[in-house]
């Protein structure tokens, strides 16, 4: 849990509180948060220990939604946009948390692989970053794509765009949805391909701004 600037997608630049939930069976090989994959009671520690850590660790804390909100206050967080990510956040029923946050004056965003049903407040902005043919063998759900406000797809080569096209054919309508392409690891060829495709299709380019400017 930390406060920073949202670095990706349509909300780039917005001050945000990131809540990273533990557990993910998807198995993306390029994942930069592999320390969030494992669920094990032996790894549970205090909130204070997790918040204070300055390096990656598999340890995590366990609180309910009211306790989480109290932690925001205790940390002095001022951002009013909460990004719920992971791991894979949609392993969990996020309705109680997102309802509470909206009722307390926050906006919420979920970042998900699309491999679980999305259970959240109707006001929540849902970003699906579809993970296709990953090690975990999980399928991207059409229901998750239908719920998405934003479909943000990491690409390195043309085949990744082709895979996205196959998924988008299953969506009833893209009206009101942002489609974003995000070059993997700031690769020059991937960036060039993403820019070219976004222009030709009137899609949106998503850059991992936080990595360019060196913040969390």
């Amino acid at each position: 849990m930390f406060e920073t600037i949202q670095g990706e997608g349509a909300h780039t630049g917005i001050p945000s509180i990131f809540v990273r939930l533990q557990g993910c069976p998807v198995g993306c090989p390029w994942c930069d948060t592999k320390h969030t994959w494992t669920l094990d009671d032996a790894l549970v520690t205090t909130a204070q220990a997790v918040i204070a850590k300055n390096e990656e660790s598999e340890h995590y804390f366990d609180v309910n939604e009211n306790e989480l909100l109290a932690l925001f206050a205790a940390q002095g967080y001022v951002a009013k946009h909460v990004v719920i990510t992971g791991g894979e956040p949609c392993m969990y029923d996020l309705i109680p948390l997102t309802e509470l946050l909206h009722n307390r004056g926050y906006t919420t965003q979920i970042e998900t692989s699309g491999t679980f049903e999305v259970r959240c407040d109707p006001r929540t902005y849902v970003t699906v970053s579809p993970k296709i043919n990953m090690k975990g063998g999980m399928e991207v759900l059409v229901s998750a794509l239908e719920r998405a406000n934003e479909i943000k797809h990491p690409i390195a080569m043309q085949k990744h765009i082709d895979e996205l096209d196959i998924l988008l054919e299953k969506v009833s309508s893209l009206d009101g949805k942002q489609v974003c392409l995000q070059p993997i690891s700031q690769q020059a060829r991937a960036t060039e391909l993403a820019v070219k495709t976004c222009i030709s299709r009137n899609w949106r380019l998503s850059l991992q701004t936080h990595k360019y400017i060196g913040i969390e």
Side-chain angles (χ1 to χ4, degrees), residues 194-208:
V195 169
K196 178 181 177 181
T197 306
C198 286
I199 291 173
S200 67
R201 302 192 184 192
N202 202 28
W203 287 354
R204 185 166 184 156
L205 182 70
S206 172
L207 298 177
Q208 293 179 295

Side-chain angles (χ1 to χ4, degrees), residues 5-184:
I5 297 291
Q6 170 62 287
E8 302 179 5
H11 285 87
T12 295
I14 293 179
S16 304
I17 301 167
F18 275 71
V19 177
R20 193 176 293 285
L21 304 187
Q22 190 79 6
C24 184
V26 179
C28 305
W30 64 79
C31 179
D32 57 4
T33 56
K34 291 182 179 180
H35 57 285
T36 65
W37 288 7
T38 303
L39 281 172
D40 184 343
D41 289 345
L43 297 173
V44 176
T45 185
T46 65
Q48 289 71 27
V50 172
I51 293 169
K53 69 182 182 180
N54 53 21
E55 59 185 17
E56 291 183 358
S57 167
E58 290 187 319
H59 288 90
Y60 58 98
F61 62 91
D62 186 6
V63 293
N64 63 36
E65 56 270 17
N66 287 291
E67 291 167 337
L68 185 65
L69 211 57
L71 282 173
F72 291 177
Q75 291 300 115
Y77 292 161
V78 297
K80 288 297 183 180
H81 185 65
V82 179
V83 181
I84 305 166
T85 182
E88 174 43 68
C90 290
M91 289 172 57
Y92 305 98
D93 181 357
L94 299 174
I95 293 173
L97 174 58
T98 52
E99 279 186 350
L100 176 65
L101 288 169
H102 279 276
N103 292 340
R104 296 290 183 88
Y106 292 88
T107 57
T108 64
Q109 177 182 1
I110 293 171
E111 295 187 344
T112 174
S113 64
T115 57
F116 286 83
E117 294 290 342
V118 181
R119 295 170 289 171
C120 63
D121 188 280
R123 296 166 287 184
T124 298
Y125 187 94
V126 176
T127 297
V128 173
S129 183
K131 300 304 186 291
I132 305 166
N133 298 325
M134 294 297 123
K135 184 178 179 180
M138 305 186 70
E139 293 186 9
V140 177
L141 303 182
V142 175
S143 63
L145 295 170
E146 293 283 5
R147 175 59 181 84
N149 302 97
E150 172 182 83
I151 298 171
K152 182 182 68 180
H153 194 52
I155 68 161
M157 57 191 74
Q158 181 62 42
K159 79 167 189 176
H160 297 136
I161 297 172
D162 296 341
E163 290 171 343
L164 176 62
D165 284 337
I166 292 170
L167 277 183
L168 294 181
E169 288 177 359
K170 302 175 183 179
V171 180
S172 59
S173 174
L174 293 178
D175 290 347
K177 298 184 189 297
Q178 292 273 5
V179 180
C180 304
L181 296 184
Q182 183 165 289
I184 293 175

Side-chain angles (χ1 to χ4, degrees), residues 4 15 47 130:
T4 186

